[in-house]
């Protein structure tokens, strides 16, 4: 079985109501372990909904989803939360950081929800920051950082628990081209050097072309 295996995924919001919306209409997606995949599509095509279901932040209305051989539909909310914390790292378009806190505080946030020791709370964030070349930013408030620096902090937070799967939702859309290229380079390195599975939603063709494979989503269906 593939690392990510989604079959016939349907997602309907406000089902049975006048404002019912079908965000996904029988989407199929296969991703192998250690592969990098870019998901492209226009606004409203279902890209973010798909990513949320992959990340277990949302549930499919219909269809099957297996992650690393595990049937996600059979997991309780608690087990899904534990799986997210241990196996999945998220990098978001708006960074999702606490602006009034330091980079160090933001990076170590996921560790509070696991079984980390007091020592790991100190060492893991620093080690992760060093891998991304941002250890000099750890004591700075997020509000004082540039967009590129904030995204690196967000990526470090996504990596601090050493997850196998990295999900990124338009992580370069708010960045200039040079910074965007550098950020994409980090994701490429995570896959090539560290064997991470990376799925990124993007509207930028130049970004998508640096991944192993591009899939396109249109009107809630996946092509390619």
């Amino acid at each position: 079985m593939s690392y990510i295996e989604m079959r016939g995924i349907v997602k309907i919001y406000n089902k049975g109501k006048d404002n019912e919306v079908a965000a996904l209409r029988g989407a199929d997606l296969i991703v192998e372990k250690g592969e990098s995949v870019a998901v492209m599509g226009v606004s409203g095509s279902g890209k973010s909904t798909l990513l949320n279901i992959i990340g277990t932040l949302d549930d499919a209305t219909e269809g099957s989803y297996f992650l690393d051989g595990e049937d996600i539909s059979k997991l309780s909310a608690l087990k899904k939360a534990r799986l997210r914390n241990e196996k999945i790292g998220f990098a978001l378009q708006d960074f999702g950081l606490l602006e009034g806190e330091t980079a160090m505080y933001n990076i170590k946030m996921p560790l509070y929800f696991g079984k980390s020791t007091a020592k790991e709370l100190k060492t893991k964030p620093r080690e992760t920051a060093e891998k991304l070349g941002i250890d000099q930013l750890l004591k700075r408030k997020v509000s004082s950082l540039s967009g590129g620096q904030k995204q690196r902090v967000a990526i470090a937070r996504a990596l601090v628990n050493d997850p196998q799967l990295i999900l990124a939702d338009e992580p370069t859309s708010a960045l200039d081209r040079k910074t965007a290229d550098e950020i994409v380079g980090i994701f490429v390195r995570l896959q090539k050097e560290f064997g991470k599975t990376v799925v990124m939603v993007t509207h930028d063709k130049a970004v998508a072309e640096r991944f192993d494979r591009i899939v396109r989503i249109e009107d809630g269906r996946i092509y390619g």
Side-chain angles (χ1 to χ4, degrees):
M1 179 174 281
S2 300
Y3 187 66
I4 292 173
E5 191 165 314
M6 309 180 85
R7 302 287 186 185
I9 296 295
V10 173
K11 180 60 183 181
I12 300 175
Y13 293 103
N14 306 315
K15 190 173 184 179
K17 299 181 180 180
D18 292 340
N19 59 342
E20 178 177 298
V21 175
L24 295 173
R25 307 166 182 263
D28 298 327
L29 180 65
I30 302 296
V31 179
E32 302 300 336
K33 195 166 189 176
E35 185 180 19
S36 64
V37 175
V39 180
M40 297 192 73
V42 300
S43 178
S45 60
K47 302 187 302 298
S48 293
T49 298
L50 178 72
L51 208 68
N52 286 339
I53 293 174
I54 294 174
T56 75
L57 293 170
D58 204 350
D59 297 317
T61 306
E62 298 176 20
S64 64
Y65 170 34
F66 287 81
L67 176 62
D68 201 14
E70 192 162 26
D71 186 347
I72 299 303
S73 68
K74 297 187 182 303
L75 299 182
S76 66
L78 180 61
K79 286 185 177 179
K80 286 179 184 176
R82 186 175 297 128
L83 181 147
R84 280 195 300 274
N85 193 55
E86 294 175 355
K87 293 187 176 183
I88 305 174
F90 296 88
L92 307 175
Q93 178 179 357
D94 63 356
F95 316 127
L97 301 172
L98 298 174
E99 292 276 331
E101 300 291 346
T102 64
M104 178 69 159
Y105 183 88
N106 276 273
I107 293 170
K108 69 180 179 181
M109 281 295 291
L111 298 174
Y112 288 120
F113 300 100
K115 300 177 181 178
S116 300
T117 64
K119 181 180 179 181
E120 287 173 332
L121 284 170
K122 292 182 179 180
T123 59
K124 279 190 172 183
R126 184 167 296 281
E127 290 170 355
T128 305
E130 287 174 352
K131 289 179 182 178
L132 297 178
I134 57 169
D135 47 303
Q136 75 280 5
L137 303 178
L138 289 175
K139 293 182 179 180
R140 288 178 58 181
K141 292 285 184 70
V142 168
S143 58
S144 73
L145 303 180
S146 68
Q149 289 171 332
K150 288 179 181 179
Q151 192 57 273
R152 286 176 175 83
V153 171
I155 294 171
R157 181 188 57 192
L159 292 175
V160 73
N161 270 333
D162 195 26
Q164 176 58 40
L165 175 61
I166 307 296
L167 302 178
D169 192 357
E170 299 277 13
T172 63
S173 62
L175 307 176
D176 61 79
R177 172 54 62 191
K178 180 177 182 297
T179 305
D181 287 343
E182 292 171 355
I183 293 299
V184 175
I186 292 173
F187 287 103
V188 171
R189 179 177 165 229
L190 290 173
Q191 184 235 348
K192 300 295 185 186
E193 296 184 21
F194 300 98
K196 305 296 183 184
T197 304
V198 181
V199 179
M200 180 186 290
V201 164
T202 182
H203 68 278
D204 190 329
K205 186 178 179 182
V207 168
E209 288 177 342
R210 296 182 66 181
F211 285 69
D212 291 337
R213 182 161 56 97
I214 299 173
V215 299
R216 288 178 170 80
I217 187 165
E218 182 179 340
D219 195 26
R221 294 183 176 89
I222 292 176
Y223 302 89

